[in-house]
Amino acid sequence: MEIQMWREILAPYDLAVQELVLKFSSLVRESREAGKYSYIERVDGRRKELSSILDKAKRKGVPIEQVTEKIYDIAGVRLICEFVEDISKVVDIIRSRPDMEVVSEKDYITDEKPSGYRSYHMIIRYEVTTIYGSKKVYAEIQIRTMAMNFWSTIEHSLQYKYSGNVPDDISEKLQMAAKSVYNLDNEMSLIRDDIMMAQEFSYGKARI
């Protein structure tokens, strides 16, 4: 396909990322302005690069003309939470929203990957309106704690460096680090209530 054609195909995904990031960021802002604890700490979003889309289509055996129907993470949003308990709250928020149709969910927190990767993934369908009209696109939402996100960022960099073939000794160290992340999240959960109250107090004072 020509570059201009790809621009038109991917434009709705760029718009979806922008709108989803804005909506989730607004939830964070509204909670804090109301002096309430926000289950979401940070919001990130990205549209997958064309080269990555084509690489994934090739790996998955997806024909070019079916990319938008069979690749679900062209648009991606990452929601970072402070505590593991917050993740289920965020999942419930997404399920209840009329503007986000949940297509599938994968719980890599309860059932982590062999590598040690932990996160909660949701595929949604989201409607955007462009100059070409309305279109529903797939988007992937990843929900994880700050500790999980730190581990995942490092693991992703190593996967990229070694082209997906991370040496065994490094993989073992990553698995050990994943256990440390798991333990850290559990330890932080023990003081979650105190931290929530402290943050609500802080947000409340900031509004005065």
Side-chain angles (χ1 to χ4, degrees):
M1 291 186 187
E2 296 180 358
I3 295 299
Q4 182 57 36
M5 183 66 72
W6 276 114
R7 287 197 183 104
E8 293 178 10
I9 291 172
L10 297 178
Y13 294 91
D14 288 318
L15 183 56
V17 170
Q18 293 171 20
E19 290 187 5
L20 289 168
V21 167
L22 177 60
K23 287 183 176 183
F24 286 117
S25 296
S26 294
L27 289 179
V28 176
R29 186 183 66 255
E30 289 173 14
S31 294
R32 292 175 178 173
E33 288 179 350
K36 296 181 179 180
Y37 174 79
S38 173
Y39 296 117
I40 303 171
E41 172 64 22
R42 195 175 83 237
V43 182
D44 296 318
R46 64 97 182 100
R47 193 261 292 161
K48 192 182 284 292
E49 294 293 332
L50 177 57
S51 58
S52 297
I53 296 170
L54 296 177
D55 285 344
K56 184 165 187 176
K58 184 177 180 180
R59 290 197 314 272
K60 299 288 187 180
V62 175
I64 295 298
E65 60 272 15
Q66 296 181 15
V67 161
T68 58
E69 287 77 33
K70 295 192 174 180
I71 294 183
Y72 303 132
D73 63 345
I74 295 176
V77 175
R78 186 170 298 147
L79 306 178
I80 310 300
C81 305
E82 290 186 310
F83 305 98
V84 175
E85 292 83 356
D86 297 343
I87 294 174
S88 61
K89 302 290 187 182
V90 175
V91 169
D92 288 340
I93 289 171
I94 295 170
R95 288 173 180 162
S96 68
R97 290 189 66 102
D99 56 343
M100 301 178 193
E101 175 192 351
V102 177
V103 176
S104 66
E105 302 180 35
K106 289 185 179 179
D107 184 356
Y108 294 119
I109 296 174
T110 302
D111 187 17
E112 68 184 58
K113 291 186 177 181
S115 64
Y117 176 85
R118 297 170 67 228
S119 185
Y120 199 99
H121 290 195
M122 304 181 78
I123 301 297
I124 66 167
R125 290 186 75 199
Y126 179 77
E127 185 172 5
V128 296
T129 302
T130 71
I131 59 173
Y132 302 105
S134 297
K135 181 178 177 61
K136 284 190 175 183
V137 300
Y138 291 106
E140 180 184 64
I141 302 176
Q142 298 179 353
I143 313 163
R144 57 180 67 146
T145 65
M146 291 185 288
M148 292 176 197
N149 190 59
F150 174 72
W151 183 95
S152 178
T153 300
I154 299 301
E155 193 261 356
H156 179 78
S157 298
L158 290 170
Q159 290 288 351
Y160 182 80
K161 176 181 179 181
Y162 291 105
S163 301
N165 297 306
V166 179
D168 290 343
D169 61 324
I170 295 180
S171 292
E172 291 176 4
K173 291 176 182 177
L174 276 172
Q175 290 172 352
M176 291 176 61
K179 292 179 181 177
S180 297
V181 166
Y182 176 81
N183 291 332
L184 174 60
D185 277 333
N186 285 339
E187 289 294 326
M188 294 302 293
S189 291
L190 297 176
I191 56 173
R192 178 175 180 266
D193 290 343
D194 288 331
I195 294 175
M196 287 175 62
M197 286 189 291
Q199 290 184 350
E200 288 181 347
F201 177 74
S202 177
Y203 299 146
K205 286 189 65 177
R207 294 171 59 243
I208 297 175

